[in-house]
Amino acid sequence: MRLYNTLARKKQEFTPANGNDVNMYVCGITAYDLCHIGHARSSVVFDVLFRLLRHKGYNVTFIRNFTDIDDKIINRANEVGKSAADIAKQFINEFYVDMDRLKVLRADVEPKCTEHIGDMIALTQRLIDKGHAYSTTSGDVYFKVRSFEGYGKLSGRNIDELESGARVDPGDEKLDPLDFALWKSAKPGEPFWESPWGQGRPGWHLECSAMSEKYAPLPLDIHGGGQDLSFPHHENEIAQSEADTGKPFANYWVHNGFVQINSEKMSKSLGNFFTIRDILDKFLPETLRYFLLTMHYRSPLDFSFEALEEAEKGIKRIYSAMAQADVELSKSSWKKSPFPEELTAELDQIETHWVEAMDDDMNTAGALGHVFSAVRLTGRIAEDKNLRKSEGGQVFFTRIKTDMANWGAVLGIFEREPTEFLTELRDNRAARAGIDPARIQQLLDDRKEARKNKDFDKSDAIRDELAAMNVEVKDTPQGATWDVA
RNA sequence: GGCGACAUAGCCAAGUGGUAAGGCAGAGGUCUGCAAAACCUCCAUUCUCCGGUUCAAAUCCGGAUGUCGCCUCCA
């Protein structure tokens, strides 16, 4: 497969360094607040990459860390009068709650910063020994950016230009304004760990280097994270790890694009963000996950509830086709009538296109387009009395179900029992519209009675009443069902 | 100021050299007691604009305009 590599600024054929083994490290959350949609996107994107690589037969080791000590956590802890450790623990738990709902799989290794302080101290010491870092009288340790030749290669920065724009904080003891902290001395009242440089805590960039090195042989095959992490976070990780080991840190750098609100970056500082909970109060988790996959992972994604409603229609249509296939397959006898080869060939094509799309830099949006081709094909066959009752039809519907299951396993969607999901979706939409399902059922029962007596005037009047409530009725051979219009 | 990304129909969106996927909305039709769903048909001679390279460009190059991001914590 091909992947866009930020380091090369183009798509490249993905080849793991070690045969069939793939090591993938993704920067996880800083645990100080509930996750927002941006976290959801990043998590879902790399979850799909994880699933896709495994699906392709690679032996994947997926590492996703938790930053459980840093300024934001300490600040939050002080605000609410808890310990930093308690805050981190709390929001790691909340992270799991959200991710489980979004069907984001657990990583193989989920290391926490505070459990690797010793590794980080050791790495810092090695960098000092090698002349890449220095300690100050106040007990801070800085990485000497100019001692690392490749600095700026990931983000395309020029070190001299960075220098000219660098902010100089008169309080610190950096030899060069570009130098960044590996170890920060503890201020009074802050959590700290003992180190050769006194009481303090690790700098943010350090943990990813230390933990990557610990849990995977370098270079990593894939290192991922949000686009904003490429500078300075990932640049600094490269400097630390490559200065330490002399080996490349990661071969493929994968960055996901941002979630935007009205074409503007969603961020805490702008205050225009939605948490995952905000969304899931109104929409099903699968709707959100599907929505996130309808755009290519590197493109900016504009979030709105209107867009989510549109995504909801899409996933409803896909599940409806799956439900239809189930209905057809529930029949017991199949006719020997002919089944056109072109239809089988069409499905062959769709399967091929789907794989090609996913292999081309994980094009989930393109792949979903092909899923709709399968949906339409299913509808066309189910529509034709001869086809749907034929043995070829049975083979076809079975195959569609298998395809949907395979595609869904990689995308992390389409894994529910269709009618169950559709009912849940309907009730979810009803709840949003303030519709009471029990009241609807009562009206449907009345209407059924009227229809039984061929009292179509009354029947239609009831349907009009329902329509006024934004409910539409469907008469099926199994009886009337309803949905939110 | 430096670096970078993006610009495709009413809306969302895929497409990185071979003649514009898909979804939503819309129009017509089949089906239906009437509907709904589903299915069928239609819906961009054209990809922000101007030049250039090429037999061939939405795709490559140069320029313009616009939008956004990074350079400070951030997925």
Side-chain angles (χ1 to χ4, degrees), chain A residues 47-81:
Chain A
D47 183 59
V48 173
L49 182 55
F50 178 37
R51 289 166 180 258
L52 178 62
L53 290 166
R54 287 203 311 195
H55 179 78
K56 298 183 81 63
Y58 290 113
N59 177 32
V60 186
T61 303
F62 178 25
I63 307 163
R64 182 178 55 214
N65 70 300
F66 286 109
T67 299
D68 60 349
I69 184 69
D70 104 324
D71 289 344
K72 293 191 293 294
I73 296 171
I74 294 169
N75 291 341
R76 173 56 64 96
N78 290 338
E79 278 166 35
V80 300

Side-chain angles (χ1 to χ4, degrees), chain A residues 441-457:
Chain A
Q441 197 51 56
Q442 180 58 53
L443 287 166
L444 283 185
D445 290 344
D446 294 349
R447 180 168 173 272
K448 187 180 177 186
E449 188 62 29
R451 289 191 58 186
K452 204 168 133 194
N453 302 327
K454 300 250 188 266
D455 185 353
F456 293 124
D457 284 345

Side-chain angles (χ1 to χ4, degrees), chain A residues 217-384:
Chain A
L218 299 190
L220 295 166
D221 292 298
I222 295 172
H223 189 120
Q227 211 164 52
D228 56 333
L229 296 183
S230 64
F231 187 89
H233 185 52
H234 290 159
E235 201 71 71
N236 292 352
E237 287 181 31
I238 291 174
Q240 292 161 355
S241 291
E242 298 192 356
D244 178 38
T245 64
K247 286 190 278 193
F249 179 44
N251 289 139
Y252 298 86
W253 286 87
V254 179
H255 291 104
N256 66 277
F258 275 110
V259 174
Q260 306 183 326
I261 307 288
N262 295 324
S263 300
E264 276 202 332
K265 177 179 171 177
M266 183 183 81
S267 74
K268 300 234 164 147
S269 45
L270 291 172
N272 62 346
F273 70 99
F274 294 94
T275 63
I276 294 173
R277 307 274 164 101
D278 291 335
I279 311 304
L280 300 190
D281 282 347
K282 296 180 177 170
F283 289 84
L284 294 183
E286 191 161 341
T287 302
L288 176 56
R289 183 165 174 126
Y290 172 85
F291 168 73
L292 294 171
L293 296 176
T294 56
M295 263 74 73
H296 186 90
Y297 78 89
R298 281 189 286 114
S299 307
L301 178 159
D302 224 49
F303 174 83
S304 67
F305 285 100
E306 293 71 30
L308 215 46
E309 279 172 24
E310 204 179 287
E312 195 175 55
K313 288 177 190 166
I315 200 162
K316 180 179 160 191
R317 181 149 171 229
I318 293 167
Y319 265 107
S320 299
M322 289 164 67
Q324 196 165 21
D326 281 343
V327 168
E328 300 306 333
L329 282 171
S330 66
K331 291 174 182 141
S332 50
S333 68
W334 303 87
K335 293 193 170 126
K336 289 202 180 297
S337 48
F339 192 87
E341 237 171 74
E342 308 89 74
L343 296 175
T344 306
E346 206 172 319
L347 189 53
D348 290 344
Q349 276 278 304
I350 292 167
E351 288 171 353
T352 305
H353 286 321
W354 192 88
V355 172
E356 283 171 353
M358 291 301 284
D359 277 354
D360 183 13
D361 196 27
M362 204 166 80
N363 188 350
T364 54
L368 285 171
H370 301 306
V371 170
F372 275 101
S373 301
V375 166
R376 273 179 283 115
L377 187 55
T378 303
R380 238 192 303 158
I381 288 163
E383 194 71 17
D384 187 305

